Amino acid sequence: MFSKLRIIGAVLALVVPAFFAGMQSASPQSSPKLHRMVVQVSRDDVEGMNLALNNIMAAKRLYDSRNEQFQAELVAYGPGITMLRADKSPVKDHIEEAKKAVPNLVLSMCGNAKAGAERREGHEIFPLPGVGVVPAGVVRVMELQEQGWTYIRP
């Protein structure tokens, strides 16, 4: 009689943990991992801007292939705002390509750099369509990093 109880106890000791482990794996899957990238553009440099855009698009393709979520924000400040200016951007077509490839891509222009350029040039500067103006580009990068975004400087 005691040997039967020992056998039942041993079986329960093995089955109960396996049962609960199975319940845990049968629970709904958590949402896909979220990757967030902030890219700094601080130079009036076409090659650097193209690299930044290519990096963003490559990351999007990779995370899509893994069924993982991806967000990116490109922040231009200092001389880098030229890349996002409606009147001077030498990479308008590449920006449009990137916006199509990464529909939730955020493009931000530094308000301080914009105001400085307006004072120097004596006229208002307009960003490309879809580009937002943030008060201070470097502060925007810092705040995104503080929220856990990965910082990239091509």
Side-chain angles (χ1 to χ4, degrees):
M1 171 134 192
F2 285 115
S3 65
K4 286 185 181 179
L5 287 175
R6 281 189 200 165
I7 293 172
I8 292 172
V11 169
L12 286 176
L14 294 172
V15 171
V16 170
F19 172 75
F20 284 113
M23 282 182 56
Q24 205 170 31
S25 66
S27 65
Q29 294 291 326
S30 60
S31 61
K33 181 170 174 130
L34 173 60
H35 305 274
R36 298 175 303 173
M37 172 193 293
V38 56
V39 180
Q40 167 193 324
V41 174
S42 56
R43 295 186 177 183
D44 182 0
D45 173 23
V46 173
E47 188 176 315
M49 179 64 168
N50 284 330
L51 180 59
L53 293 170
N54 288 339
N55 286 337
I56 290 168
M57 290 187 294
K60 171 71 170 149
R61 282 190 304 273
L62 178 66
Y63 289 127
D64 281 353
S65 75
R66 295 179 179 175
N67 293 317
E68 296 177 356
Q69 297 177 13
F70 175 71
Q71 293 177 333
E73 182 166 341
L74 184 143
V75 180
Y77 59 88
I81 69 166
T82 300
M83 300 297 123
L84 300 180
R85 286 179 58 162
D87 62 340
K88 291 188 174 185
S89 176
V91 292
K92 290 177 187 178
D93 293 339
H94 199 176
I95 290 171
E96 286 305 312
E97 177 188 343
K99 286 167 51 177
K100 288 176 186 167
V102 186
N104 62 348
L105 174 61
V106 175
L107 301 167
S108 297
M109 177 187 283
C110 174
N112 289 333
K114 178 180 179 292
E118 289 171 340
R119 279 191 302 277
R120 283 189 306 278
E121 296 177 26
H123 62 86
E124 187 172 3
I125 291 172
F126 298 97
L128 290 167
V131 173
V133 177
V134 296
V138 71
V139 172
R140 179 67 180 157
V141 170
M142 183 177 70
E143 289 174 346
L144 290 172
Q145 284 185 280
E146 290 170 349
Q147 295 170 28
W149 288 58
T150 301
Y151 168 77
I152 305 294
R153 181 175 175 247

PDB file of all heavy atoms in Angstrom, residues 1 29-30 46 74 82 92 94 104 112 120 122 136 140:
ATOM      1  N   MET A   1       0.817  -1.187   0.000  1.00  0.00           N
ATOM      2  CA  MET A   1       0.000   0.000   0.000  1.00  0.00           C
ATOM      3  C   MET A   1       0.861   1.251   0.000  1.00  0.00           C
ATOM      4  O   MET A   1       0.601   2.175  -0.734  1.00  0.00           O
ATOM      5  CB  MET A   1      -0.912  -0.039   1.223  1.00  0.00           C
ATOM      6  CG  MET A   1      -1.643   1.243   1.438  1.00  0.00           C
ATOM      7  SD  MET A   1      -3.307   0.786   1.756  1.00  0.00           S
ATOM      8  CE  MET A   1      -4.137   2.233   1.645  1.00  0.00           C
ATOM      9  N   GLN A  29       0.874  34.639 -26.616  1.00  0.00           N
ATOM     10  CA  GLN A  29       2.212  35.169 -26.850  1.00  0.00           C
ATOM     11  C   GLN A  29       2.231  36.667 -26.553  1.00  0.00           C
ATOM     12  O   GLN A  29       1.273  37.374 -26.820  1.00  0.00           O
ATOM     13  CB  GLN A  29       2.619  34.930 -28.312  1.00  0.00           C
ATOM     14  CG  GLN A  29       2.788  33.480 -28.673  1.00  0.00           C
ATOM     15  CD  GLN A  29       3.997  32.865 -27.984  1.00  0.00           C
ATOM     16  OE1 GLN A  29       4.993  33.528 -27.780  1.00  0.00           O
ATOM     17  NE2 GLN A  29       3.893  31.611 -27.624  1.00  0.00           N
ATOM     18  N   SER A  30       3.329  37.138 -26.010  1.00  0.00           N
ATOM     19  CA  SER A  30       3.464  38.561 -25.780  1.00  0.00           C
ATOM     20  C   SER A  30       3.654  39.257 -27.128  1.00  0.00           C
ATOM     21  O   SER A  30       3.987  38.625 -28.118  1.00  0.00           O
ATOM     22  CB  SER A  30       4.643  38.844 -24.849  1.00  0.00           C
ATOM     23  OG  SER A  30       5.831  38.371 -25.434  1.00  0.00           O
ATOM     24  N   VAL A  46      25.914  64.937 -47.504  1.00  0.00           N
ATOM     25  CA  VAL A  46      25.019  64.064 -48.262  1.00  0.00           C
ATOM     26  C   VAL A  46      25.345  62.599 -48.005  1.00  0.00           C
ATOM     27  O   VAL A  46      24.444  61.782 -47.784  1.00  0.00           O
ATOM     28  CB  VAL A  46      25.094  64.381 -49.779  1.00  0.00           C
ATOM     29  CG1 VAL A  46      24.312  63.364 -50.587  1.00  0.00           C
ATOM     30  CG2 VAL A  46      24.568  65.782 -50.043  1.00  0.00           C
ATOM     31  N   LEU A  74      14.885  60.356 -37.000  1.00  0.00           N
ATOM     32  CA  LEU A  74      16.096  61.014 -37.456  1.00  0.00           C
ATOM     33  C   LEU A  74      16.016  62.460 -36.979  1.00  0.00           C
ATOM     34  O   LEU A  74      15.037  63.154 -37.252  1.00  0.00           O
ATOM     35  CB  LEU A  74      16.192  60.949 -38.977  1.00  0.00           C
ATOM     36  CG  LEU A  74      17.457  61.523 -39.584  1.00  0.00           C
ATOM     37  CD1 LEU A  74      17.887  60.688 -40.780  1.00  0.00           C
ATOM     38  CD2 LEU A  74      17.292  62.972 -39.970  1.00  0.00           C
ATOM     39  N   THR A  82      20.254  71.260 -43.061  1.00  0.00           N
ATOM     40  CA  THR A  82      20.210  71.433 -44.528  1.00  0.00           C
ATOM     41  C   THR A  82      19.557  70.222 -45.184  1.00  0.00           C
ATOM     42  O   THR A  82      18.832  70.361 -46.170  1.00  0.00           O
ATOM     43  CB  THR A  82      21.637  71.645 -45.084  1.00  0.00           C
ATOM     44  OG1 THR A  82      22.193  72.804 -44.480  1.00  0.00           O
ATOM     45  CG2 THR A  82      21.619  71.804 -46.594  1.00  0.00           C
ATOM     46  N   LYS A  92      16.181  64.941 -51.079  1.00  0.00           N
ATOM     47  CA  LYS A  92      14.709  64.887 -51.020  1.00  0.00           C
ATOM     48  C   LYS A  92      14.161  63.544 -51.501  1.00  0.00           C
ATOM     49  O   LYS A  92      13.277  62.963 -50.866  1.00  0.00           O
ATOM     50  CB  LYS A  92      14.090  66.008 -51.865  1.00  0.00           C
ATOM     51  CG  LYS A  92      14.275  67.376 -51.326  1.00  0.00           C
ATOM     52  CD  LYS A  92      13.680  68.415 -52.277  1.00  0.00           C
ATOM     53  CE  LYS A  92      14.025  69.816 -51.812  1.00  0.00           C
ATOM     54  NZ  LYS A  92      13.523  70.848 -52.709  1.00  0.00           N
ATOM     55  N   HIS A  94      15.643  60.611 -51.658  1.00  0.00           N
ATOM     56  CA  HIS A  94      16.007  59.519 -50.747  1.00  0.00           C
ATOM     57  C   HIS A  94      15.149  59.563 -49.486  1.00  0.00           C
ATOM     58  O   HIS A  94      14.752  58.522 -48.953  1.00  0.00           O
ATOM     59  CB  HIS A  94      17.492  59.597 -50.405  1.00  0.00           C
ATOM     60  CG  HIS A  94      18.047  58.308 -49.880  1.00  0.00           C
ATOM     61  ND1 HIS A  94      19.369  58.142 -49.591  1.00  0.00           N
ATOM     62  CD2 HIS A  94      17.472  57.117 -49.571  1.00  0.00           C
ATOM     63  CE1 HIS A  94      19.586  56.920 -49.134  1.00  0.00           C
ATOM     64  NE2 HIS A  94      18.438  56.283 -49.112  1.00  0.00           N
ATOM     65  N   ASN A 104       6.371  54.815 -40.404  1.00  0.00           N
ATOM     66  CA  ASN A 104       6.276  55.559 -39.146  1.00  0.00           C
ATOM     67  C   ASN A 104       7.558  56.344 -38.827  1.00  0.00           C
ATOM     68  O   ASN A 104       7.743  56.796 -37.704  1.00  0.00           O
ATOM     69  CB  ASN A 104       5.932  54.614 -37.986  1.00  0.00           C
ATOM     70  CG  ASN A 104       6.990  53.550 -37.764  1.00  0.00           C
ATOM     71  OD1 ASN A 104       7.885  53.355 -38.589  1.00  0.00           O
ATOM     72  ND2 ASN A 104       6.895  52.841 -36.654  1.00  0.00           N
ATOM     73  N   ASN A 112      16.384  75.436 -32.728  1.00  0.00           N
ATOM     74  CA  ASN A 112      17.484  76.384 -32.489  1.00  0.00           C
ATOM     75  C   ASN A 112      18.303  76.593 -33.748  1.00  0.00           C
ATOM     76  O   ASN A 112      18.637  77.732 -34.101  1.00  0.00           O
ATOM     77  CB  ASN A 112      18.403  75.885 -31.364  1.00  0.00           C
ATOM     78  CG  ASN A 112      17.753  75.970 -30.004  1.00  0.00           C
ATOM     79  OD1 ASN A 112      16.887  76.790 -29.768  1.00  0.00           O
ATOM     80  ND2 ASN A 112      18.189  75.102 -29.100  1.00  0.00           N
ATOM     81  N   ARG A 120      20.773  84.341 -39.882  1.00  0.00           N
ATOM     82  CA  ARG A 120      21.917  84.523 -40.794  1.00  0.00           C
ATOM     83  C   ARG A 120      21.471  84.831 -42.213  1.00  0.00           C
ATOM     84  O   ARG A 120      22.074  85.646 -42.895  1.00  0.00           O
ATOM     85  CB  ARG A 120      22.790  83.260 -40.809  1.00  0.00           C
ATOM     86  CG  ARG A 120      23.683  83.091 -39.620  1.00  0.00           C
ATOM     87  CD  ARG A 120      24.673  81.946 -39.795  1.00  0.00           C
ATOM     88  NE  ARG A 120      24.064  80.663 -40.148  1.00  0.00           N
ATOM     89  CZ  ARG A 120      23.514  79.817 -39.281  1.00  0.00           C
ATOM     90  NH1 ARG A 120      23.447  80.113 -38.005  1.00  0.00           N
ATOM     91  NH2 ARG A 120      23.002  78.676 -39.692  1.00  0.00           N
ATOM     92  N   GLY A 122      18.306  85.794 -43.220  1.00  0.00           N
ATOM     93  CA  GLY A 122      17.338  86.884 -43.329  1.00  0.00           C
ATOM     94  C   GLY A 122      15.992  86.483 -43.901  1.00  0.00           C
ATOM     95  O   GLY A 122      15.262  87.340 -44.407  1.00  0.00           O
ATOM     96  N   ALA A 136      14.973  71.806 -29.487  1.00  0.00           N
ATOM     97  CA  ALA A 136      16.431  71.650 -29.511  1.00  0.00           C
ATOM     98  C   ALA A 136      16.745  70.217 -29.932  1.00  0.00           C
ATOM     99  O   ALA A 136      16.379  69.270 -29.233  1.00  0.00           O
ATOM    100  CB  ALA A 136      17.026  71.950 -28.141  1.00  0.00           C
ATOM    101  N   ARG A 140      16.410  66.629 -27.922  1.00  0.00           N
ATOM    102  CA  ARG A 140      15.505  65.567 -28.405  1.00  0.00           C
ATOM    103  C   ARG A 140      16.234  64.223 -28.423  1.00  0.00           C
ATOM    104  O   ARG A 140      15.690  63.206 -27.985  1.00  0.00           O
ATOM    105  CB  ARG A 140      14.972  65.910 -29.803  1.00  0.00           C
ATOM    106  CG  ARG A 140      14.057  64.866 -30.403  1.00  0.00           C
ATOM    107  CD  ARG A 140      12.766  64.764 -29.644  1.00  0.00           C
ATOM    108  NE  ARG A 140      11.915  63.744 -30.268  1.00  0.00           N
ATOM    109  CZ  ARG A 140      10.955  63.109 -29.640  1.00  0.00           C
ATOM    110  NH1 ARG A 140      10.668  63.393 -28.386  1.00  0.00           N
ATOM    111  NH2 ARG A 140      10.240  62.204 -30.261  1.00  0.00           N
TER     112      ARG A 140
END
